[in-house]
Amino acid sequence: VRKGPAGKEEGEIEIPAGSAAEITNKQVGLDLKIYKKDRYDRKLEGAIFNIRKTDENFKNPDPDFGVKTGTSNAEGLVEFKDKDGNKVNLPVGYYVIEETAAPLGYRKPNAPWKVEVVEENGQLVAKYKGPEETPQSFVEKNENLTIKEANGVRYATKITHIDTESRSFIPVSY
């Protein structure tokens, strides 16, 4: 390092007493936080996710970005890492996040999440577009029992589980 007058490094600027300087840091990537939890808000460990950067239609993966993988830890937090084990920050762009393996005893979702990273007011933010309907959302919409009567017998049916892979559901009659 070359020293200039008064022992300062070359290119350094001294801010006079009583003055101020504005220092602007540019955010180079978003630290994406994803937590894997069940419907009871319990943290789930062992889910494996892949993330790909794509075009604005969430198609055509960017070969320069490649595929990054993350696994949920004991706190449910998923951290994506590159091939060297470094944490991945997402620059502005479009991404598809897919759960490739669910924790033991759980099923992975059929549809991926779409994430758009944009800059708003000098900050990088993520806009999420998840599956519009999930098996749980269908069950929750069917909370009210429909009471019917046949030959003097009153009964009701409520859906308790929807399996989107086998395209079936489990009704319970009361």
Side-chain angles (χ1 to χ4, degrees):
V1 177
R2 292 188 351 171
K3 297 285 183 185
K8 291 188 280 188
E9 289 184 20
E10 197 170 299
E12 283 187 345
I13 299 170
E14 183 176 336
I15 302 167
S19 297
E22 182 176 325
I23 300 172
T24 305
N25 291 329
K26 180 144 179 76
Q27 194 176 3
V28 295
L30 180 71
D31 180 13
L32 187 67
K33 298 271 190 222
I34 297 177
Y35 288 90
K36 178 67 177 174
K37 297 179 181 181
D38 68 7
R39 67 181 187 182
Y40 302 109
D41 208 33
R42 292 182 293 218
K43 299 165 186 146
L44 300 177
E45 182 177 12
I48 300 172
F49 293 83
N50 284 340
I51 187 167
R52 293 175 175 81
K53 187 173 186 188
T54 66
D55 62 15
E56 64 275 359
N57 297 315
F58 298 100
K59 307 250 189 246
N60 304 317
D62 178 350
D64 294 333
F65 184 83
V67 177
K68 311 296 190 246
T69 301
T71 303
S72 61
N73 62 21
E75 296 300 312
L77 177 64
V78 180
E79 287 187 324
F80 292 99
K81 304 212 172 175
D82 63 16
K83 63 182 180 195
D84 298 323
N86 299 317
K87 191 173 173 185
V88 174
N89 288 323
L90 305 180
V92 171
Y94 301 87
Y95 301 87
V96 174
I97 300 172
E98 185 173 20
E99 186 174 348
T100 58
L104 188 62
Y106 292 88
R107 288 188 178 192
K108 66 183 183 69
N110 292 335
W113 284 84
K114 298 171 184 173
V115 179
E116 181 183 2
V117 177
V118 296
E119 187 174 337
E120 289 182 357
N121 302 321
Q123 283 287 104
L124 292 180
V125 295
K127 296 182 178 183
Y128 300 92
K129 298 170 184 151
E132 291 182 15
E133 295 288 355
T134 63
Q136 186 60 31
S137 70
F138 281 116
V139 170
E140 288 169 357
K141 285 181 181 177
N142 190 37
E143 286 181 345
N144 299 323
L145 295 174
T146 304
I147 298 176
K148 299 178 183 176
E149 190 168 333
N151 298 327
V153 177
R154 296 181 79 194
Y155 67 94
T157 303
K158 177 180 179 180
I159 296 174
T160 59
H161 177 75
I162 296 176
D163 186 339
T164 55
E165 290 178 10
S166 68
R167 299 179 187 256
S168 64
F169 62 91
I170 300 171
V172 175
S173 296
Y174 299 91

